[in-house]
Amino acid sequence: MSGKWKSIVVTAVLAALASAAATWASATWVMRAQQPPSLHSIVHEKLQLSAEQDRRLDGIEARFASRRPALEAEVRAANRELAAAIAASDGDTPQVQAAVDHFHTAMGDLQKATIAHIFEMRSVLTPAQAEVFDAAVVEALRADAG
């Protein structure tokens, strides 16, 4: 290949790589810009917590963080159970229904624990802080409902 063609190919490859990198960076920026701030960032960055509130919230968050993995693991286990029941059945069998019930229970337990956690966090806040917190919770739930 002549030097001229090599130069053209290298330029084209570099241009393609630069274009791909710019596209990826733009898409990442747009996706982040469209996501509402996390509840954690709202609580710790926008509510101007007192030192005591911050300490209490850290304890609440630590307790939930230690409990949440087990709840999520149960949801995954129930999902695997449902997949196995469907794979082993030729229709809507009692085993499939039992697996569906297990999945609903596991999801319900996770959701109930999450809501209890949110209200426990809220109990530490002043009325003005709770108003901002509640609005963020409602916005997050609505965004999730899409």
Side-chain angles (χ1 to χ4, degrees), residues 3-138:
K4 182 179 179 182
W5 282 106
K6 234 184 232 183
S7 178
I8 291 172
V9 168
V10 169
T11 301
V13 168
L14 289 175
L17 288 173
S19 174
T23 300
W24 176 82
S26 297
T28 300
W29 180 77
V30 166
M31 292 302 288
R32 281 195 192 135
Q34 290 179 347
Q35 292 178 347
S38 73
L39 195 54
H40 180 84
S41 69
I42 287 170
V43 167
H44 290 282
E45 296 169 14
K46 298 189 184 219
L47 294 184
Q48 299 174 344
L49 301 171
S50 70
E52 175 63 14
Q53 286 176 310
D54 208 19
R55 184 191 64 72
R56 289 177 63 196
L57 286 168
D58 283 346
I60 290 168
E61 290 174 333
R63 281 191 303 280
F64 186 64
S66 69
R67 186 169 177 225
R68 185 176 180 173
L71 293 165
E72 290 173 340
E74 187 63 25
V75 170
R76 287 190 301 277
N79 199 36
R80 286 190 301 274
E81 179 185 324
L82 178 57
I86 290 171
S89 76
D90 58 354
D92 194 10
T93 64
Q95 291 80 11
V96 170
Q97 283 306 304
V100 167
D101 290 343
H102 181 203
F103 180 78
H104 286 170
T105 299
M107 283 296 297
D109 290 347
L110 175 59
Q111 189 169 31
K112 287 174 187 175
T114 301
I115 295 301
H117 168 66
I118 286 171
F119 284 121
E120 185 178 11
M121 288 176 64
R122 186 179 190 270
S123 73
V124 172
L125 305 176
T126 67
Q129 290 169 328
E131 193 173 311
V132 173
F133 180 80
D134 290 350
V137 169
V138 168

